């Protein structure tokens, strides 16, 4: 999941981009949350592993404190968070989105604003059950969905789930496992100069300092069971 930085910033100001693959499988949300929480809490880059949980945050001599050493951080990779819905319902919603997007492309509607609103609403129906959104924007009172990636944001998702596809195909998993299509591949960002709160209602377009210019998947890249995700960002100094 590459991040593209425009040449507005000096080379020495280029933010660190951290790439990670989180634990897989539908039911591993808590393990992913524990692992993810290590880095935003100020842990060393070298300690991104659940077995280091107790040591991180208590060792003041850690050599690379991510949050203390960087003004801006981009966290990208196969985060492996899933959609907590039955596959049938997920696929039905995806087919509805695909049908409406095709109408949008072919300009077969006389009410484009209504069509766009329908598409947005369908995406929101899926995102309500996205594990990452739930742990990023969860109420702190609910221990089962306590926050991961505190203060991080994400660009607006208007692309279809990026996993799991049959290789060299545009079909979601047809194996006996029948995995639920999900947005496993993500790019998150955070600036120590952020203005305002980070929540799901701001559509992730801007933190005041970092603006999301482009955030999308590459649906025609069929060499993998994932679809790559790319982002373009502007950082104002």
């Amino acid at each position: 999941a590459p991040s593209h930085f425009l040449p507005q910033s000096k080379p020495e100001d280029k933010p660190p981009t951290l790439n990670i693959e989180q634990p897989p499988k539908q039911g591993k949300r808590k393990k992913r949350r524990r692992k993810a929480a290590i880095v935003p809490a100020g842990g060393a880059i070298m300690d991104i592993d659940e077995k280091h949980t107790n040591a991180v945050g208590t060792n003041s001599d850690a050599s690379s404190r991510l949050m203390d050493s960087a003004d801006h951080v981009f966290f990208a990779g196969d985060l492996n968070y899933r959609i907590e819905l039955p596959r049938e319902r997920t696929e039905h919603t995806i087919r509805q989105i695909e049908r409406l997007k095709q109408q949008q492309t072919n300009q077969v509607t006389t009410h484009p604003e209504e069509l766009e609103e329908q598409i947005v609403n369908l995406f929101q129906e899926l995102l309500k059950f996205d594990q990452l959104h739930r742990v990023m924007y969860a109420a702190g009172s609910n221990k089962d969905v306590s926050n991961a990636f505190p203060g991080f944001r994400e660009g607006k998702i208007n692309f279809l789930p990026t996993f799991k596809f049959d290789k060299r195909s545009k079909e979601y998993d047809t194996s006996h496992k029948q995995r639920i299509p999900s947005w496993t591949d993500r790019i998150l960002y955070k600036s120590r100069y952020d203005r305002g709160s980070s929540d799901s209602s701001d559509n992730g377009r801007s933190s005041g300092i970092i603006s999301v210019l482009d955030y999308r998947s590459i649906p025609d890249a069929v060499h993998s069971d994932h679809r790559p995700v790319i982002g373009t960002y502007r950082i104002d100094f």
Side-chain angles (χ1 to χ4, degrees):
S3 300
H4 301 296
F5 299 96
L6 301 184
Q8 186 172 348
S9 59
K10 297 177 291 185
E12 61 268 25
D13 295 327
K14 184 177 179 179
T17 303
L18 179 62
N19 189 277
I20 187 173
E21 180 176 4
Q22 292 271 64
K25 298 185 180 179
Q26 185 80 15
K28 299 294 185 179
R29 173 168 55 86
K30 289 184 179 180
K31 187 173 182 179
R32 286 189 285 271
R33 188 187 70 219
R34 289 195 299 270
K35 186 174 179 182
I38 295 171
V39 177
I45 294 177
M46 59 184 178
D47 285 343
I48 304 172
D49 193 287
E50 186 180 3
K51 67 183 179 181
H52 296 294
T53 301
N54 292 331
V56 173
T58 60
N59 180 7
S60 59
D61 296 326
S63 61
S64 180
R65 297 283 176 180
L66 187 59
M67 290 295 98
D68 293 337
S69 63
D71 290 335
H72 318 289
V73 178
F74 288 80
F75 199 99
D78 177 8
L79 303 190
N80 254 319
Y81 286 96
R82 308 303 173 96
I83 293 175
E84 293 185 320
L85 283 174
R87 173 162 174 148
E88 294 77 11
R89 180 174 169 186
T90 304
E91 284 197 313
H92 176 69
T93 305
I94 289 172
R95 286 193 294 269
Q96 286 182 295
I97 293 172
E98 288 176 327
R99 178 177 56 82
L100 293 176
K101 279 183 170 284
Q102 190 62 50
Q103 291 181 24
Q104 202 174 44
T105 300
N106 296 337
Q107 298 180 333
V108 296
T109 178
T110 56
H111 303 285
E113 297 84 2
E114 292 182 10
L115 187 61
E116 179 63 25
E117 184 179 357
Q118 291 179 53
I119 293 172
V120 169
N121 289 340
L122 287 169
F123 271 112
Q124 289 304 313
E125 281 300 307
L126 291 180
L127 286 166
K128 282 192 301 187
F129 297 94
D130 172 61
Q131 291 177 341
L132 181 56
H133 270 214
R134 285 184 165 185
V135 297
M136 282 181 69
Y137 309 122
S141 58
N142 189 340
K143 293 182 179 179
D144 186 54
V145 289
S146 60
N147 288 53
F149 301 102
F152 275 80
R153 298 171 185 262
E154 182 179 22
K156 182 179 180 180
I157 290 181
N158 56 12
F159 51 87
L160 293 174
T162 58
F163 177 84
K164 176 182 178 24
F165 289 88
D166 294 339
K167 287 187 178 180
R168 307 199 178 281
S169 166
K170 293 189 176 182
E171 296 293 326
Y172 287 105
D173 186 18
T174 60
S175 75
H176 69 282
K177 292 186 177 180
Q178 291 283 293
R179 293 176 181 86
I180 299 168
S182 297
W183 287 288
T184 58
D185 310 279
R186 317 288 276 265
I187 305 174
L188 311 180
Y189 61 92
K190 181 177 183 177
S191 171
R192 71 166 65 194
Y193 305 111
D194 271 353
R195 295 190 291 269
S197 62
S198 173
D199 59 49
S200 58
S201 64
D202 66 3
N203 287 328
R205 298 304 298 175
S206 174
S207 66
I209 299 298
I210 301 174
S211 298
V212 183
L213 304 183
D214 187 27
Y215 188 44
R216 57 191 167 93
S217 68
I218 309 296
D220 292 329
V222 297
H223 58 284
S224 167
D225 55 359
H226 290 257
R227 293 295 176 263
V229 172
I230 64 172
T232 304
Y233 304 84
R234 184 183 70 236
I235 301 176
D236 296 321
F237 292 94

